Amino acid sequence: MIKYYIFDMDGTLCHSMGFWRAETAHIPNYRDPAAMQIAYNNMRRRYRDEIELRAGAKRLLENARAAGIRCCIASATARDVAQPFLDKTGLMDYMDFYIDCHEIGIFKERPDIYLRAAERFGAGINECAVFEDSEYCARTAKDAGFYVVGVFDPTTSAEGDTAAYSDMYIHSLEDFNGIKE
């Protein structure tokens, strides 16, 4: 039985992937620390001023809370970069914790972030659903044994078929009506 939701943030809870692509398109392999710092600063401003929650996000989180499902964010975005968005949306009011790839030291090509989230919940993999917009992240979670809810995002959908690695695929968070087991 699914008792825990592990949410990706960018592309899943908010439409920010296009902004990330614009900010990092000129940085080869993301290996220029000075250029990445400029991108992070620009994204902090965008999170504060431009990026909003996706339609249906609050309702989904409220319904999860009412059903006793605990939630967290497992993001590639460092918390300090996302903090303006978390503050303005009140998103952390619905989350037990925020974990990011920078904190763990491994990106989502490996399942460590999802495994660490399940561990922090004190949950087994079979008790968790991972919500992801990106094909490679959905594949990573699925290959690790998680139930995957694929979420359509116009930016990441061009990079792979998230639905192929999803137990459930939705075009909008407004379409989510829970997981029927």
Side-chain angles (χ1 to χ4, degrees):
M1 177 177 202
I2 301 296
K3 300 177 188 174
Y4 306 93
Y5 289 169
I6 301 170
F7 288 96
D8 170 55
M9 187 179 76
D10 296 292
T12 302
L13 291 173
C14 62
H15 283 301
S16 54
M17 292 307 296
F19 292 106
W20 274 110
R21 296 294 188 269
E23 292 295 340
T24 59
H26 64 285
I27 306 171
N29 299 320
Y30 308 105
R31 294 185 194 252
D32 180 339
M36 285 304 296
Q37 191 57 52
I38 292 168
Y40 293 149
N41 289 339
N42 289 340
M43 284 304 296
R44 282 184 191 92
R45 179 187 53 76
R46 287 178 181 266
Y47 278 124
R48 185 190 68 228
D49 298 338
E50 300 175 58
I51 298 168
E52 299 295 333
L53 278 174
R54 288 182 65 153
K58 284 271 175 120
R59 181 183 61 83
L60 189 162
L61 295 169
E62 288 166 358
N63 289 344
R65 178 187 285 165
I69 296 169
R70 294 170 55 196
C71 301
C72 75
I73 294 174
S75 180
T77 300
R79 178 153 185 176
D80 69 299
V81 175
Q83 196 63 51
F85 178 73
L86 300 173
D87 290 344
K88 85 173 181 181
T89 61
L91 203 50
M92 291 310 297
D93 293 344
Y94 298 94
M95 304 295 169
D96 283 30
F97 55 89
Y98 183 108
I99 190 168
D100 66 67
C101 293
H102 299 269
E103 172 186 337
I104 293 174
I106 298 170
F107 282 86
K108 292 182 176 181
E109 290 86 2
R110 294 194 23 208
D112 299 56
I113 192 165
Y114 309 117
L115 297 169
R116 186 82 54 91
E119 180 182 299
R120 283 186 64 179
F121 277 134
I125 292 169
N126 62 330
E127 297 176 291
C128 300
V130 173
F131 290 70
E132 274 289 355
D133 65 294
S134 171
E135 178 267 341
Y136 86 92
C137 299
R139 182 178 61 238
T140 298
K142 187 69 178 163
D143 288 350
F146 288 92
Y147 184 97
V148 175
V149 178
V151 182
F152 173 79
D153 178 76
T155 302
T156 56
S157 67
E159 299 167 359
D161 185 10
T162 304
Y165 300 97
S166 301
D167 296 284
M168 174 188 294
Y169 187 76
I170 56 178
H171 288 279
S172 166
L173 296 177
E174 294 175 305
D175 297 336
F176 184 76
N177 291 314
I179 296 169
K180 315 292 187 262
E181 294 181 84

